Amino acid sequence: MRIDDRSLKGTSGMNENALLLLPAPMEGHGVYNRNSEVQATGLIPALPLLERAAREALLPPASEPIVIADYGSSEGRNSLRPMRLAIWELRRRDGKTRPISTVHTDQPGNDFSTLFNMLASDPDSYLRDDPCVFASAVGRSFYEQILPCESVTLGWSSWAVNWLSCRAAPIPDHVIGTLSGDARVKAAFRRQAAADWRRFLTCRSRELRPGGRLVMVTLAQDEMGQSGYDSLYDQLYGALLDLAEARLITQQELRRMAVVTFARSREEWCAPFAEGGQFAGLALEEFQIFDAEDPLWAEFDRHRDAGVLAARRAAIFRAFAFPSLAAGLDGGLGSPRTGEFFVRLETAMAARLTATLDQGAKPIGCLLLVKVGA
Ligand SMILES: C[S@@+](CC[C@H](N)C(=O)[O-])C[C@H]1O[C@@H](n2cnc3c(N)ncnc32)[C@H](O)[C@@H]1O
């Protein structure tokens, strides 16, 4: 995690001198690829929307390549299936010879080496059987315009837009802003999430060709305001308190730690489109909330070993959340204590999860957007 000393003025309005913390990329060296089966399963309900988007998107003139952008790819394994599906549908429409450019984008610190090695060697790589597909990457925040104007025909993003651009406010009593007991902290995160969503849409609209399509799948709240992960995050915070009590981290470090992810409600996803059905030249064509299948719970139903379920869940949290937490250590993510911090926190979280089984629904939102003006 990088620390930016811009003031909070105009963002939360509650602490002008607080530091803004940015989310860290996922754990590298293949750890995220090996520990993201929940995300891999959760994106499946959005695949029919992606297939439809690839079928209906307006293609560029025949002399130009077709660009597919993948926003927030991490190490890329979970992008293989959606990319393969999109390429298959585009080939079906347009033949086998047109160059297709796949652009995987993520934060600058993302482990892109693992992504390219995986694309070269994974038996499921979409590069294997199509010599006219060309993969590249962009290491830049998707809260900026990161591709040329009107260059993208198809956009895809899974489990990424729930990450906010920064920590909206210090969180005195949790690592998730909306789980704080302080109403002002919750409100600051809600405002940040609303602003970030509009910023993301504005940037993508610039990049999409008229008639292009963008499909997204990520965390959402159900109609009761539950994200499905609240009790797991409570256990993560409890595990951090355990580490603080054992003096493995200081109180100051604990107070700096945050995971800046936010589950939007239906109203929050749809708000920019509420007036006139369009925002920044994008129309929301489909919006659905599903209860994602939990593959770890399905396994647990077979083995009935709470310790195994807890260890898998802790490993998955380690891969996506621990780097952001470690950035709160003195010395940041590069601290020599990071390795031990990861191991101790994973153990403490697994111990807590073993004692508190959670089978709550895991709502996810799927969106299909169209760039108007074709
Ligand atoms: C949970 S991973 C999802 C990876 C993959 N798409 C999947 O479905 O498993 C979230 C990814 O979003 C990326 N991300 C978060 N904020 C970002 C930003 N502002 N710009 C670009 N990528 C971002 C993270 O670095 C991370 O790789």
Side-chain angles (χ1 to χ4, degrees):
M1 192 184 306
R2 292 153 289 143
I3 293 179
D4 183 335
D5 63 1
R6 288 171 297 164
S7 91
L8 279 174
K9 204 173 179 181
T11 304
S12 75
M14 60 180 296
N15 182 348
E16 299 195 348
N17 297 317
L19 296 177
L20 287 170
L21 278 81
L22 311 179
M26 310 295 96
E27 191 174 357
H29 306 289
V31 173
Y32 182 79
N33 273 349
R34 291 191 294 278
N35 294 284
S36 52
E37 63 263 43
V38 169
Q39 294 89 334
T41 306
L43 64 79
I44 291 173
L47 294 178
L49 284 188
L50 181 63
E51 193 173 7
R52 173 171 145 201
R55 194 166 58 240
E56 294 176 354
L58 198 68
L59 300 184
S63 56
E64 292 178 26
I66 298 172
V67 175
I68 307 175
D70 172 23
Y71 296 101
S73 61
S74 185
E75 296 176 320
R77 183 184 296 281
N78 288 348
S79 302
L80 294 182
R81 189 167 170 183
M83 291 300 108
R84 183 176 279 284
L85 177 73
I87 292 164
W88 186 88
E89 184 56 37
L90 291 169
R91 288 287 182 235
R92 201 187 58 76
R93 280 179 72 187
D94 194 51
K96 288 198 181 315
T97 52
R98 165 122 57 149
I100 294 179
S101 161
T102 54
V103 188
H104 299 281
T105 83
D106 210 287
Q107 303 184 78
N110 181 57
D111 185 354
F112 287 107
S113 298
T114 293
L115 183 146
F116 285 115
N117 282 322
M118 190 272 306
L119 286 178
S121 62
D122 194 291
D124 293 328
S125 170
Y126 60 80
L127 293 181
R128 291 221 139 200
D129 38 1
D130 194 330
C132 241
V133 177
F134 302 91
S136 59
V138 171
R140 202 167 164 197
S141 168
F142 52 47
Y143 291 114
E144 300 169 51
Q145 184 181 345
I146 55 176
L147 288 164
C149 289
E150 301 196 351
S151 62
V152 176
T153 291
L154 209 52
W156 164 259
S157 182
S158 58
W159 296 96
V161 187
N162 51 299
W163 290 90
L164 303 183
S165 62
C166 62
R167 189 186 68 175
I171 315 169
D173 53 352
H174 215 288
V175 288
I176 297 289
T178 46
L179 296 181
S180 168
D182 186 330
R184 293 176 315 152
V185 173
K186 289 184 186 197
F189 274 83
R190 275 199 208 99
R191 278 196 297 275
Q192 187 65 52
D196 282 349
W197 179 217
R198 284 173 164 77
R199 195 159 136 195
F200 181 88
L201 290 170
T202 303
C203 297
R204 299 300 76 75
S205 179
R206 291 193 189 126
E207 295 163 359
L208 274 175
R209 295 173 48 78
R213 305 290 198 263
L214 174 62
V215 176
M216 272 171 288
V217 51
T218 192
L219 290 178
Q221 277 177 27
D222 63 18
E223 307 301 336
M224 311 295 291
Q226 301 298 312
S227 89
Y229 291 88
D230 296 357
S231 77
L232 298 177
Y233 277 117
D234 284 344
Q235 298 309 325
L236 172 60
Y237 185 59
L240 283 167
L241 293 176
D242 295 343
L243 263 57
E245 199 176 313
R247 299 191 184 284
L248 290 162
I249 56 173
T250 66
Q251 285 297 329
Q252 240 186 349
E253 289 174 323
L254 176 63
R255 295 280 77 89
R256 284 200 293 262
M257 292 180 180
V259 184
V260 294
T261 166
F262 186 96
R264 294 178 175 89
S265 65
R266 175 182 291 276
E267 291 67 35
E268 285 165 329
W269 283 116
C270 297
F273 306 95
E275 271 176 39
Q278 288 183 18
F279 177 77
L282 293 173
L284 180 60
E285 199 160 287
E286 280 285 345
F287 177 78
Q288 302 156 358
I289 292 185
F290 290 93
D291 271 344
E293 242 184 71
D294 181 347
L296 302 183
W297 191 270
E299 271 173 34
F300 173 70
D301 266 342
R302 289 191 291 277
H303 59 63
R304 305 305 296 176
D305 185 333
V308 170
L309 172 66
R312 280 309 299 143
R313 282 185 163 162
I316 282 173
F317 268 72
R318 171 183 170 142
F320 79 81
F322 287 16
S324 283
L325 298 172
L329 294 172
D330 291 339
L333 193 49
S335 158
R337 290 162 53 221
T338 296
E340 190 194 355
F341 171 72
F342 274 34
V343 172
R344 298 286 195 126
L345 185 58
E346 190 176 350
T347 307
M349 188 178 182
R352 282 178 164 265
L353 290 176
T354 305
T356 51
L357 280 180
D358 164 88
Q359 194 200 355
K362 306 274 181 274
I364 47 158
C366 303
L367 299 87
L368 168 56
L369 297 151
V370 181
K371 170 82 175 277
V372 292

mmCIF file of all heavy atoms in Angstrom, residues 101-132:
data_model
loop_
_atom_site.group_PDB
_atom_site.id
_atom_site.type_symbol
_atom_site.label_atom_id
_atom_site.label_comp_id
_atom_site.label_asym_id
_atom_site.label_seq_id
_atom_site.Cartn_x
_atom_site.Cartn_y
_atom_site.Cartn_z
ATOM 1 N N SER A 101 -6.855 -7.963 -29.626
ATOM 2 C CA SER A 101 -5.899 -7.528 -28.599
ATOM 3 C C SER A 101 -6.575 -7.626 -27.232
ATOM 4 O O SER A 101 -7.621 -7.014 -27.014
ATOM 5 C CB SER A 101 -5.504 -6.081 -28.926
ATOM 6 O OG SER A 101 -4.960 -5.466 -27.809
ATOM 7 N N THR A 102 -6.010 -8.440 -26.334
ATOM 8 C CA THR A 102 -6.529 -8.505 -24.958
ATOM 9 C C THR A 102 -5.598 -7.682 -24.073
ATOM 10 O O THR A 102 -4.379 -7.885 -24.083
ATOM 11 C CB THR A 102 -6.564 -9.957 -24.440
ATOM 12 O OG1 THR A 102 -5.267 -10.521 -24.593
ATOM 13 C CG2 THR A 102 -7.578 -10.798 -25.186
ATOM 14 N N VAL A 103 -6.165 -6.762 -23.337
ATOM 15 C CA VAL A 103 -5.340 -5.893 -22.485
ATOM 16 C C VAL A 103 -5.734 -6.114 -21.032
ATOM 17 O O VAL A 103 -6.852 -5.784 -20.622
ATOM 18 C CB VAL A 103 -5.529 -4.408 -22.857
ATOM 19 C CG1 VAL A 103 -4.508 -3.558 -22.101
ATOM 20 C CG2 VAL A 103 -5.397 -4.192 -24.356
ATOM 21 N N HIS A 104 -4.832 -6.712 -20.265
ATOM 22 C CA HIS A 104 -5.084 -6.953 -18.840
ATOM 23 C C HIS A 104 -4.564 -5.739 -18.070
ATOM 24 O O HIS A 104 -3.391 -5.382 -18.200
ATOM 25 C CB HIS A 104 -4.368 -8.225 -18.382
ATOM 26 C CG HIS A 104 -4.851 -9.444 -19.119
ATOM 27 N ND1 HIS A 104 -6.025 -10.079 -18.807
ATOM 28 C CD2 HIS A 104 -4.326 -10.122 -20.173
ATOM 29 C CE1 HIS A 104 -6.203 -11.112 -19.617
ATOM 30 N NE2 HIS A 104 -5.191 -11.157 -20.460
ATOM 31 N N THR A 105 -5.424 -5.144 -17.267
ATOM 32 C CA THR A 105 -4.991 -3.940 -16.556
ATOM 33 C C THR A 105 -5.088 -4.153 -15.045
ATOM 34 O O THR A 105 -5.954 -4.882 -14.572
ATOM 35 C CB THR A 105 -5.848 -2.708 -16.951
ATOM 36 O OG1 THR A 105 -7.055 -2.702 -16.187
ATOM 37 C CG2 THR A 105 -6.192 -2.708 -18.432
ATOM 38 N N ASP A 106 -4.183 -3.518 -14.341
ATOM 39 C CA ASP A 106 -4.200 -3.586 -12.878
ATOM 40 C C ASP A 106 -3.327 -2.463 -12.342
ATOM 41 O O ASP A 106 -2.790 -1.657 -13.109
ATOM 42 C CB ASP A 106 -3.733 -4.959 -12.362
ATOM 43 C CG ASP A 106 -4.389 -5.328 -11.023
ATOM 44 O OD1 ASP A 106 -4.005 -4.728 -10.006
ATOM 45 O OD2 ASP A 106 -5.276 -6.187 -11.005
ATOM 46 N N GLN A 107 -3.166 -2.414 -11.026
ATOM 47 C CA GLN A 107 -2.332 -1.390 -10.411
ATOM 48 C C GLN A 107 -0.863 -1.636 -10.784
ATOM 49 O O GLN A 107 -0.480 -2.782 -11.069
ATOM 50 C CB GLN A 107 -2.486 -1.431 -8.901
ATOM 51 C CG GLN A 107 -3.929 -1.265 -8.445
ATOM 52 C CD GLN A 107 -4.021 -1.203 -6.938
ATOM 53 O OE1 GLN A 107 -3.736 -0.181 -6.328
ATOM 54 N NE2 GLN A 107 -4.405 -2.301 -6.320
ATOM 55 N N PRO A 108 -0.036 -0.589 -10.728
ATOM 56 C CA PRO A 108 1.365 -0.746 -11.160
ATOM 57 C C PRO A 108 2.107 -1.843 -10.402
ATOM 58 O O PRO A 108 2.976 -2.502 -10.968
ATOM 59 C CB PRO A 108 1.999 0.616 -10.864
ATOM 60 C CG PRO A 108 0.874 1.565 -10.695
ATOM 61 C CD PRO A 108 -0.355 0.788 -10.333
ATOM 62 N N GLY A 109 1.784 -2.070 -9.128
ATOM 63 C CA GLY A 109 2.518 -3.064 -8.336
ATOM 64 C C GLY A 109 2.028 -4.487 -8.529
ATOM 65 O O GLY A 109 2.538 -5.419 -7.885
ATOM 66 N N ASN A 110 1.057 -4.696 -9.401
ATOM 67 C CA ASN A 110 0.515 -6.049 -9.621
ATOM 68 C C ASN A 110 1.601 -6.974 -10.176
ATOM 69 O O ASN A 110 2.519 -6.539 -10.882
ATOM 70 C CB ASN A 110 -0.651 -5.959 -10.625
ATOM 71 C CG ASN A 110 -1.284 -7.297 -10.899
ATOM 72 O OD1 ASN A 110 -1.737 -7.981 -9.993
ATOM 73 N ND2 ASN A 110 -1.309 -7.703 -12.160
ATOM 74 N N ASP A 111 1.483 -8.269 -9.912
ATOM 75 C CA ASP A 111 2.485 -9.234 -10.396
ATOM 76 C C ASP A 111 2.155 -9.630 -11.850
ATOM 77 O O ASP A 111 1.570 -10.681 -12.107
ATOM 78 C CB ASP A 111 2.494 -10.463 -9.482
ATOM 79 C CG ASP A 111 3.608 -11.444 -9.859
ATOM 80 O OD1 ASP A 111 4.280 -11.219 -10.897
ATOM 81 O OD2 ASP A 111 3.791 -12.432 -9.121
ATOM 82 N N PHE A 112 2.546 -8.768 -12.775
ATOM 83 C CA PHE A 112 2.273 -9.028 -14.192
ATOM 84 C C PHE A 112 3.167 -10.150 -14.741
ATOM 85 O O PHE A 112 2.821 -10.783 -15.733
ATOM 86 C CB PHE A 112 2.452 -7.752 -15.025
ATOM 87 C CG PHE A 112 1.346 -6.736 -14.827
ATOM 88 C CD1 PHE A 112 1.580 -5.576 -14.107
ATOM 89 C CD2 PHE A 112 0.078 -6.948 -15.344
ATOM 90 C CE1 PHE A 112 0.567 -4.641 -13.914
ATOM 91 C CE2 PHE A 112 -0.946 -6.022 -15.153
ATOM 92 C CZ PHE A 112 -0.695 -4.860 -14.436
ATOM 93 N N SER A 113 4.332 -10.400 -14.112
ATOM 94 C CA SER A 113 5.198 -11.494 -14.594
ATOM 95 C C SER A 113 4.465 -12.818 -14.465
ATOM 96 O O SER A 113 4.488 -13.644 -15.381
ATOM 97 C CB SER A 113 6.488 -11.576 -13.778
ATOM 98 O OG SER A 113 7.191 -10.397 -13.925
ATOM 99 N N THR A 114 3.820 -13.017 -13.307
ATOM 100 C CA THR A 114 3.048 -14.256 -13.135
ATOM 101 C C THR A 114 1.950 -14.345 -14.185
ATOM 102 O O THR A 114 1.701 -15.407 -14.760
ATOM 103 C CB THR A 114 2.460 -14.311 -11.708
ATOM 104 O OG1 THR A 114 3.541 -14.450 -10.786
ATOM 105 C CG2 THR A 114 1.502 -15.485 -11.530
ATOM 106 N N LEU A 115 1.321 -13.211 -14.471
ATOM 107 C CA LEU A 115 0.245 -13.213 -15.478
ATOM 108 C C LEU A 115 0.786 -13.671 -16.843
ATOM 109 O O LEU A 115 0.222 -14.573 -17.479
ATOM 110 C CB LEU A 115 -0.357 -11.809 -15.582
ATOM 111 C CG LEU A 115 -1.541 -11.641 -16.545
ATOM 112 C CD1 LEU A 115 -2.525 -10.595 -15.996
ATOM 113 C CD2 LEU A 115 -1.131 -11.192 -17.925
ATOM 114 N N PHE A 116 1.912 -13.099 -17.267
ATOM 115 C CA PHE A 116 2.428 -13.456 -18.602
ATOM 116 C C PHE A 116 2.959 -14.892 -18.638
ATOM 117 O O PHE A 116 2.805 -15.585 -19.637
ATOM 118 C CB PHE A 116 3.492 -12.453 -19.055
ATOM 119 C CG PHE A 116 2.879 -11.146 -19.484
ATOM 120 C CD1 PHE A 116 3.125 -9.977 -18.787
ATOM 121 C CD2 PHE A 116 2.019 -11.088 -20.583
ATOM 122 C CE1 PHE A 116 2.539 -8.776 -19.175
ATOM 123 C CE2 PHE A 116 1.428 -9.892 -20.980
ATOM 124 C CZ PHE A 116 1.689 -8.729 -20.271
ATOM 125 N N ASN A 117 3.576 -15.343 -17.547
ATOM 126 C CA ASN A 117 4.031 -16.743 -17.500
ATOM 127 C C ASN A 117 2.841 -17.690 -17.567
ATOM 128 O O ASN A 117 2.885 -18.718 -18.248
ATOM 129 C CB ASN A 117 4.828 -17.012 -16.218
ATOM 130 C CG ASN A 117 6.235 -16.462 -16.337
ATOM 131 O OD1 ASN A 117 6.841 -16.545 -17.406
ATOM 132 N ND2 ASN A 117 6.748 -15.877 -15.274
ATOM 133 N N MET A 118 1.776 -17.336 -16.859
ATOM 134 C CA MET A 118 0.575 -18.171 -16.876
ATOM 135 C C MET A 118 -0.036 -18.199 -18.282
ATOM 136 O O MET A 118 -0.410 -19.272 -18.793
ATOM 137 C CB MET A 118 -0.408 -17.595 -15.845
ATOM 138 C CG MET A 118 -1.618 -18.403 -15.523
ATOM 139 S SD MET A 118 -2.977 -18.059 -16.607
ATOM 140 C CE MET A 118 -3.145 -16.292 -16.486
ATOM 141 N N LEU A 119 -0.076 -17.044 -18.951
ATOM 142 C CA LEU A 119 -0.627 -17.016 -20.318
ATOM 143 C C LEU A 119 0.199 -17.884 -21.261
ATOM 144 O O LEU A 119 -0.322 -18.507 -22.183
ATOM 145 C CB LEU A 119 -0.664 -15.578 -20.868
ATOM 146 C CG LEU A 119 -1.746 -14.654 -20.292
ATOM 147 C CD1 LEU A 119 -1.615 -13.258 -20.890
ATOM 148 C CD2 LEU A 119 -3.140 -15.214 -20.558
ATOM 149 N N ALA A 120 1.526 -17.949 -20.991
ATOM 150 C CA ALA A 120 2.409 -18.735 -21.870
ATOM 151 C C ALA A 120 2.313 -20.235 -21.594
ATOM 152 O O ALA A 120 2.511 -21.043 -22.503
ATOM 153 C CB ALA A 120 3.849 -18.267 -21.683
ATOM 154 N N SER A 121 1.996 -20.619 -20.361
ATOM 155 C CA SER A 121 2.159 -22.036 -20.026
ATOM 156 C C SER A 121 0.886 -22.743 -19.551
ATOM 157 O O SER A 121 0.837 -23.966 -19.527
ATOM 158 C CB SER A 121 3.220 -22.177 -18.924
ATOM 159 O OG SER A 121 2.764 -21.484 -17.773
ATOM 160 N N ASP A 122 -0.127 -22.004 -19.171
ATOM 161 C CA ASP A 122 -1.311 -22.676 -18.614
ATOM 162 C C ASP A 122 -2.054 -23.424 -19.735
ATOM 163 O O ASP A 122 -2.303 -22.856 -20.805
ATOM 164 C CB ASP A 122 -2.237 -21.636 -17.974
ATOM 165 C CG ASP A 122 -3.308 -22.280 -17.096
ATOM 166 O OD1 ASP A 122 -4.210 -22.953 -17.639
ATOM 167 O OD2 ASP A 122 -3.217 -22.120 -15.870
ATOM 168 N N PRO A 123 -2.416 -24.668 -19.492
ATOM 169 C CA PRO A 123 -3.141 -25.429 -20.522
ATOM 170 C C PRO A 123 -4.455 -24.766 -20.926
ATOM 171 O O PRO A 123 -4.931 -24.974 -22.034
ATOM 172 C CB PRO A 123 -3.407 -26.786 -19.857
ATOM 173 C CG PRO A 123 -2.701 -26.780 -18.564
ATOM 174 C CD PRO A 123 -2.166 -25.430 -18.267
ATOM 175 N N ASP A 124 -5.026 -23.931 -20.034
ATOM 176 C CA ASP A 124 -6.290 -23.259 -20.364
ATOM 177 C C ASP A 124 -6.094 -21.869 -20.966
ATOM 178 O O ASP A 124 -7.072 -21.139 -21.168
ATOM 179 C CB ASP A 124 -7.161 -23.117 -19.102
ATOM 180 C CG ASP A 124 -7.637 -24.468 -18.596
ATOM 181 O OD1 ASP A 124 -7.838 -25.368 -19.439
ATOM 182 O OD2 ASP A 124 -7.772 -24.622 -17.365
ATOM 183 N N SER A 125 -4.843 -21.502 -21.239
ATOM 184 C CA SER A 125 -4.609 -20.156 -21.761
ATOM 185 C C SER A 125 -5.318 -19.974 -23.102
ATOM 186 O O SER A 125 -5.241 -20.827 -23.985
ATOM 187 C CB SER A 125 -3.113 -19.918 -21.934
ATOM 188 O OG SER A 125 -2.909 -18.714 -22.650
ATOM 189 N N TYR A 126 -5.959 -18.802 -23.256
ATOM 190 C CA TYR A 126 -6.663 -18.520 -24.515
ATOM 191 C C TYR A 126 -5.684 -18.239 -25.657
ATOM 192 O O TYR A 126 -6.084 -18.140 -26.809
ATOM 193 C CB TYR A 126 -7.643 -17.350 -24.329
ATOM 194 C CG TYR A 126 -6.973 -16.061 -23.894
ATOM 195 C CD1 TYR A 126 -6.313 -15.232 -24.795
ATOM 196 C CD2 TYR A 126 -6.977 -15.685 -22.553
ATOM 197 C CE1 TYR A 126 -5.694 -14.064 -24.388
ATOM 198 C CE2 TYR A 126 -6.356 -14.526 -22.133
ATOM 199 C CZ TYR A 126 -5.718 -13.708 -23.062
ATOM 200 O OH TYR A 126 -5.098 -12.566 -22.654
ATOM 201 N N LEU A 127 -4.384 -18.106 -25.337
ATOM 202 C CA LEU A 127 -3.390 -17.855 -26.389
ATOM 203 C C LEU A 127 -2.995 -19.137 -27.106
ATOM 204 O O LEU A 127 -2.408 -19.098 -28.178
ATOM 205 C CB LEU A 127 -2.111 -17.229 -25.791
ATOM 206 C CG LEU A 127 -2.247 -15.822 -25.229
ATOM 207 C CD1 LEU A 127 -0.904 -15.340 -24.693
ATOM 208 C CD2 LEU A 127 -2.766 -14.859 -26.300
ATOM 209 N N ARG A 128 -3.330 -20.278 -26.501
ATOM 210 C CA ARG A 128 -2.832 -21.574 -26.999
ATOM 211 C C ARG A 128 -3.274 -21.880 -28.424
ATOM 212 O O ARG A 128 -2.501 -22.350 -29.232
ATOM 213 C CB ARG A 128 -3.331 -22.700 -26.097
ATOM 214 C CG ARG A 128 -2.685 -22.645 -24.738
ATOM 215 C CD ARG A 128 -2.326 -24.002 -24.251
ATOM 216 N NE ARG A 128 -1.029 -23.934 -23.606
ATOM 217 C CZ ARG A 128 -0.247 -24.957 -23.405
ATOM 218 N NH1 ARG A 128 -0.591 -26.147 -23.810
ATOM 219 N NH2 ARG A 128 0.916 -24.809 -22.816
ATOM 220 N N ASP A 129 -4.550 -21.646 -28.691
ATOM 221 C CA ASP A 129 -5.079 -22.142 -29.960
ATOM 222 C C ASP A 129 -5.499 -21.039 -30.914
ATOM 223 O O ASP A 129 -6.252 -21.285 -31.841
ATOM 224 C CB ASP A 129 -6.264 -23.107 -29.701
ATOM 225 C CG ASP A 129 -7.123 -22.634 -28.547
ATOM 226 O OD1 ASP A 129 -6.796 -21.572 -28.003
ATOM 227 O OD2 ASP A 129 -8.107 -23.302 -28.198
ATOM 228 N N ASP A 130 -5.023 -19.794 -30.672
ATOM 229 C CA ASP A 130 -5.394 -18.713 -31.595
ATOM 230 C C ASP A 130 -4.203 -17.781 -31.784
ATOM 231 O O ASP A 130 -3.948 -16.906 -30.953
ATOM 232 C CB ASP A 130 -6.602 -17.947 -31.037
ATOM 233 C CG ASP A 130 -7.230 -17.046 -32.079
ATOM 234 O OD1 ASP A 130 -6.490 -16.556 -32.971
ATOM 235 O OD2 ASP A 130 -8.445 -16.831 -32.016
ATOM 236 N N PRO A 131 -3.449 -17.961 -32.879
ATOM 237 C CA PRO A 131 -2.248 -17.148 -33.075
ATOM 238 C C PRO A 131 -2.556 -15.686 -33.368
ATOM 239 O O PRO A 131 -1.656 -14.848 -33.387
ATOM 240 C CB PRO A 131 -1.577 -17.805 -34.293
ATOM 241 C CG PRO A 131 -2.687 -18.522 -35.013
ATOM 242 C CD PRO A 131 -3.690 -18.913 -33.971
ATOM 243 N N CYS A 132 -3.818 -15.361 -33.577
ATOM 244 C CA CYS A 132 -4.166 -13.972 -33.896
ATOM 245 C C CYS A 132 -4.719 -13.214 -32.691
ATOM 246 O O CYS A 132 -5.381 -12.202 -32.832
ATOM 247 C CB CYS A 132 -5.172 -13.957 -35.048
ATOM 248 S SG CYS A 132 -4.495 -13.097 -36.460
#
